[in-house]
Amino acid sequence: MNNDAIATTPLVKTATQETLEINLIHALTRLRHTAFEKEILGGDAALNVDAKPESFFGFSIGHLQFMVAASCFCEVFVDTAIAAVPNAPSTLVGLSNIRGVLMPIYQLHSLLNSSIAKKPIIFAIGKGESSVGLLIDSLPVSLSLAAYQREAIAKQESPLLQQLVKENYFANQSRWLLLDGKSFGAQLLAITHQMPKQGSH
């Protein structure tokens, strides 16, 4: 090895090198702080979203509590005549004339091994020809629930009922099963096709 080469190798950092290192340290520090702030602020934002309550309409059928988002168009009818449909599947109770439109009325009681009330209440979802009615056991109540109250969807005793449940909430010592109001009619129709017809064995 050449001793002259060793002698000419700089042992002390130049001013330019020190400046570059200092600038690099400052840049890395700013990046760390920015990432930390984003993580904290992002977490707070997520908490705020989770804590923000949403509005629902809740009702009971048998031993279960159901609900739909209040943003869906919903109506309630009491003591409304329902015309039975011959040879219809058991979940299709019949048709009801609502403002000149024949609305299909369904029931989930048979899936829950529960009896239908003598004076059933019709909970209607949707407008016009796209509306469907569901027999419920109690007048709907207003609910205000937040995302943090959601739980894993519990397995229902009926596989057909499982198809209707979108999400599962827990509040006020009760479990609330969220139904998808927008596709509820299509879901009920699909389930009806899987049910045996009334009077069949």
Side-chain angles (χ1 to χ4, degrees), residues 54 56 65-67 146-147 149-154 156 162 164-170 175-180:
E54 298 177 67
F56 302 91
Q65 309 286 336
F66 295 89
M67 64 182 189
Q149 293 173 282
R150 281 198 299 257
E151 295 184 339
I153 298 178
Q156 303 302 318
Q162 187 77 25
L164 296 174
V165 180
K166 182 180 178 182
E167 289 179 341
N168 183 60
Y169 285 76
F170 189 81
R175 178 163 282 104
W176 296 91
L177 305 178
L178 178 63
L179 305 174
D180 188 348

Side-chain angles (χ1 to χ4, degrees), residues 61-162:
I61 300 177
H63 61 280
L64 295 181
Q65 309 286 336
F66 295 89
M67 64 182 189
V68 296
S71 58
C72 298
F73 183 82
C74 302
E75 295 182 285
V76 176
F77 301 95
V78 181
D79 294 332
T80 301
I82 302 174
V85 178
N87 299 318
S90 58
T91 51
L92 179 59
V93 181
L95 300 173
S96 186
N97 189 334
I98 306 295
R99 292 186 288 273
V101 176
L102 291 179
M103 178 191 296
I105 309 299
Y106 296 88
Q107 58 85 15
L108 300 178
H109 294 77
S110 59
L111 300 180
L112 301 173
N113 296 318
S114 177
S115 299
I116 299 175
K118 292 182 179 179
K119 290 188 176 181
I121 301 167
I122 299 175
F123 184 77
I125 303 175
K127 293 182 178 181
E129 295 181 355
S130 63
S131 62
V132 295
L134 180 67
L135 297 186
I136 61 177
D137 295 340
S138 61
L139 288 172
V141 296
S142 295
L143 299 171
S144 183
L145 302 175
Y148 70 85
Q149 293 173 282
R150 281 198 299 257
E151 295 184 339
I153 298 178
K155 186 176 180 180
Q156 303 302 318
E157 59 263 41
S158 168
L160 294 178
L161 183 62
Q162 187 77 25

